[in-house]
Amino acid sequence: MDVKGCKAIVTGGASGLGEACVRNLVGLGGKAAILDFDATKGEKLAAELGSNVIYANTDVTGEESVQAAIKKAMDAFGAINIVINCAGVGDPGKVLSKKGPMALSYFNRVVQINLVGTFNVIRLAVEQMVKNTGNKDGEKGVIINTASVAAFDGQIGQPAYSASKAGVV
């Protein structure tokens, strides 16, 4: 798929790998919606990159939040051709520490953001992408999900991160 003229949504787009993706997409002639919970960074990046970028304050784990972000992108760009899922957290914590077993809520938070959030964005974006007219190769869109080598080779203190990234893979 040629990026020039494409309209993308990038989760975690206000920093790190997500920000790099936004910058690359815009640099290649595309438009990008930054879906991130960090309004300060997201708004600053959108302002820096200009009219081909918008920011939508988004919690990827929330259905209504993602729906609102996708609506904002659709209203601004008219379509979504690319989804890049970079939103994620890597909160460290051992299964068993000197304080006792890891709280299940701690594990669940990481899995909710990294795995469930990825799926939430996919399912809601695909609802719009399927309406696209296919390009010369019949493509209607591309979805890119980021994971980690931790999906295959767990790391000390990262059971939730490794599990969530294995789920994405």
Side-chain angles (χ1 to χ4, degrees):
M1 177 168 281
D2 185 7
V3 173
K4 188 174 183 176
C6 280
K7 293 97 176 177
I9 60 173
V10 182
T11 69
S15 64
L17 180 61
E19 177 183 347
C21 290
V22 169
R23 289 181 182 280
N24 190 48
L25 288 162
V26 173
L28 293 172
K31 297 181 179 190
I34 299 166
L35 278 59
D36 203 296
F37 64 85
D38 190 330
T40 302
K41 287 182 180 178
E43 289 170 358
K44 181 180 176 187
L45 181 60
E48 175 192 333
L49 296 177
S51 63
N52 287 333
V53 179
I54 63 166
Y55 169 71
N57 190 280
T58 310
D59 171 1
V60 295
T61 67
E63 182 171 11
E64 290 176 3
S65 182
V66 173
Q67 287 171 329
I70 288 173
K71 181 179 183 333
K72 186 172 183 177
M74 291 296 295
D75 290 347
F77 305 144
I80 298 169
N81 308 101
I82 299 172
V83 175
I84 303 177
N85 282 303
C86 293
V89 295
D91 301 343
K94 292 184 177 180
V95 173
L96 180 63
S97 71
K98 293 176 183 177
K99 296 178 183 177
M102 174 189 285
L104 187 56
S105 61
Y106 190 82
F107 183 92
N108 190 44
R109 175 182 177 271
V110 174
V111 171
Q112 284 295 312
I113 294 169
N114 296 1
L115 177 58
V116 177
T118 296
F119 177 72
N120 192 32
V121 173
I122 291 169
R123 72 186 187 90
L124 296 171
V126 165
E127 184 179 27
Q128 298 305 318
M129 294 172 80
V130 74
K131 299 173 189 174
N132 293 341
T133 301
N135 65 13
K136 65 180 174 41
D137 296 321
E139 297 170 326
K140 292 185 176 190
V142 173
I143 298 172
I144 300 167
N145 299 318
T146 58
S148 168
V149 69
F152 304 101
D153 187 16
Q155 301 166 341
I156 294 172
Q158 294 288 337
Y161 183 77
S162 293
S164 68
K165 293 304 181 176
V168 170
V169 169

